[in-house]
Each structure stands twice: as C-alpha cells, then as structure tokens.
Amino acid sequence: MNRLTAAPSPSVRVRAPGKLNLSLRVGPVEDDGYHPLVTVFQAVALYEEVTATEVPEGTGIALTVDGPHADQVPLDASNLAWRAAELLAEHVGVGADVALHLAKGVPVAGGMAGGSADAAATLAACDALWATGLSRDDLVGLAARLGSDVPFALVGHTAVGTGRGHLLTPAMTRGEFHWAFATQAEGLSTPAVYGQFDARTGGRAPAVDPADDTDLMHALRAGDPVALGLALHNDLQDAAIDLRPELERTLEIAQNGGALGTLVSGSGPSVAALARSRQHALAIAATWTAEGAADSVWCTTGPAGGARVL
C-alpha cells in the first residue's frame, strides 16, 4: 500500500553577519532626538540564520528562536525580524504570512547588531520566498526604516556609515583581521548609554567629521592590523563604562594580553580585542574566561560578507 506524504512547505534560509564598529563618532543630539554619527562598520564571521517558511494565507507571522541566550529574544511584534516581515509585506502588498525561525549566532544584546542581522536576513528571505523581486537598493531602503544598523547587515564587508549610521559608503580593505569578543549575560540599554554620553558631554559633543578616521582608513587599505589597533575609537565607550564599570577590567586584561587594540563594541557591553592571529585571539579569550571577566567568549574574523541566501 502506497502511503502519501505531504510535500514540505517551501522555505528560504538566509544568513547575515554581526558587526563591530571599528570607529564610532557621535555628535550632539539633534531636534529629532537622534545623534549624527560617523562610524566605520566591519562585518564579522558570526552569523544569524533566518529560515522563512510558507504558511497558509491568513495565518500571520509565527516566530521561533534557538541558540545562545535565545530565551532573551522576544517572540512577538517587538522583534525586528517580525517587523521586517510586516514591513516588506506592506511594501509589496502581500499578506504578512510566514513562519520565521531564528538561529542565533551573534551575542544577544551585546552591541554587535544581532537583532539587526535578523531583520536583514528576514528581508532577504521573505523577498525570495514571496518572489517580490526587489532590488538590493530597495531592500536597503526598507532596512533603513527598521534601524540604523540593518542596512549594513545586508551589505556587509566594511563600510563608512553616516547620518544615523544608515547611509553607507563601501570602504577598501585588504586582508583578514582576527578578533576576540568578551560578552556579558546582562545587556546594556542603548538609550541609556546615549543618555549617559549626553550627560558627560552636556549635550555639547563636537560635530562629527569623517576626516577624524583617516588613520583608520589607511590601516584598512594597507591591511595593517597594528595600525588598525592604534586607530580604534568609540565615543560611547566611557559612557558604557560609567554604567558597567567592570568593562574597564575586561579591556585591561586584553591589553595586558598583548591585544593590538581594544574597545567596547557599539553601545556595549561586548568588548572587542584585535589580535595578531587566530591563536592570539584564542589566548586572549582564554584569559578572559580564566579571570572571570566574561560570561562567554567568541573568536572570529572580519570582514565578512553581507546577507545571502544559503
């Protein structure tokens, strides 16, 4: 007797990278509540994977998550991936009917834009699943409506971000850079860090200027990790340390371990250390673990490519 089984529902799987801000320069808050930024993004080979699966019309959006700290990820419309599916559906005039599964590979709430990578991957996955045929520029435009880091997760590699960080210009780089990351189980609120930055500057931070990162851009073009380490910069670092003083020790341990450069990643609380090699990155990570200076450690390389269908 032949047994008939239902064909699996069509699905699309996309991965998108986390990021590091090699430089983050923050101007004074403007009337719209945002700070003008000049930032140099580098995508790193830690990835979010989103699988979008077809569901019957009228079903709506369903969201599931697995991976490290998945219990901290919301499963409702506050999730950026959910919002990305809704935005794309509204933009192209189709029903927002899809099952999304997020496999976390970027530290949660660590200043490395894992949620933004989820949103970017969801845009690309739903575009393919629904055959909407949008161009990459169209998707980048939608991404900018979701958050300032989402466009970069689509394009990846290394880029200069201006405006709120969403206006991207590709940056020339040579070679591969080795990174170690120390992450904390408890996240750090981005609005709180910006609020502390405003308190430190009295709302009178200097205007941002891309020319301030000239040395960093030269280091990237030369593929020179020593020069890059010296040029790393984050205007939010002191504000993040004010809120989480233990980050200073995490930075010092990496510096004492010979890191070429260290900084808080974005608004924190992850700490990044630039290493000479993969083995050196592993050694820095091991020291963080031995000293109890991180809840988890990650070693990877950059730059990495942007969102792509697997």
Side-chain angles (χ1 to χ4, degrees):
M1 176 178 174
N2 292 330
R3 178 172 295 174
L4 298 177
T5 57
S9 297
S11 65
V12 176
R13 186 162 57 102
V14 173
R15 77 177 191 181
K19 62 83 182 171
L20 169 69
N21 298 83
L22 302 175
S23 176
L24 178 56
R25 299 184 184 276
V26 183
V29 64
E30 297 182 328
D31 292 341
D32 62 3
Y34 288 99
H35 296 74
L37 305 177
V38 173
T39 186
V40 183
F41 292 111
Q42 183 163 99
V44 295
L46 298 174
Y47 299 100
E48 300 286 282
E49 288 191 2
V50 174
T51 302
T53 302
E54 187 177 272
V55 296
E57 185 176 347
T59 301
I61 297 173
L63 183 61
T64 55
V65 183
D66 67 21
H69 304 295
D71 58 316
Q72 298 179 27
V73 178
L75 301 178
D76 56 19
S78 66
N79 188 293
L80 269 181
W82 185 303
R83 290 166 53 194
E86 284 186 329
L87 178 62
L88 179 61
E90 178 185 3
H91 181 74
V92 299
V94 302
D97 302 309
V98 66
L100 299 173
H101 179 71
L102 280 51
K104 304 294 292 181
V106 176
V108 174
M112 297 180 66
S116 295
D118 289 334
T122 298
L123 287 173
C126 289
D127 172 64
L129 183 70
W130 297 335
T132 58
L134 296 183
S135 69
R136 181 52 64 102
D137 285 346
D138 290 334
L139 291 176
V140 168
L142 291 175
R145 294 168 58 183
L146 293 164
S148 58
D149 290 338
V150 183
F152 179 70
L154 275 172
V155 302
H157 302 286
T158 306
V160 178
T162 55
R164 297 196 304 274
H166 65 297
L167 303 173
L168 300 174
T169 303
M172 292 179 58
T173 63
R174 289 183 59 194
E176 183 178 66
F177 300 96
H178 295 273
W179 296 98
F181 292 94
T183 65
Q184 310 297 329
E186 182 184 352
L188 195 52
S189 162
T190 297
V193 174
Y194 274 96
Q196 182 63 20
F197 171 81
D198 289 336
R200 290 181 64 94
T201 62
R204 295 184 297 276
V208 290
D209 184 353
D212 290 336
D213 288 318
T214 298
D215 289 346
L216 187 146
M217 302 305 292
H218 285 325
L220 288 171
R221 285 195 293 270
D224 184 342
V226 174
L228 179 62
L230 293 172
L232 299 175
H233 179 84
N234 183 359
D235 278 345
L236 295 180
Q237 180 162 304
D238 289 342
I241 292 172
D242 286 345
L243 299 175
R244 296 285 288 276
E246 66 271 19
L247 296 180
E248 193 158 22
R249 177 170 173 263
T250 307
L251 291 161
E252 288 174 355
I253 288 170
Q255 292 157 6
N256 293 338
L260 301 178
T262 61
L263 80 171
V264 172
S265 178
S267 58
S270 297
V271 166
L274 179 60
R276 296 185 300 272
S277 63
R278 178 177 180 273
Q279 291 74 19
H280 187 208
L282 290 169
I284 292 170
T287 303
W288 276 331
T289 299
E291 296 287 340
D295 291 312
S296 59
V297 293
W298 310 65
C299 295
T300 190
T301 58
R308 70 179 184 91
V309 177
L310 299 177

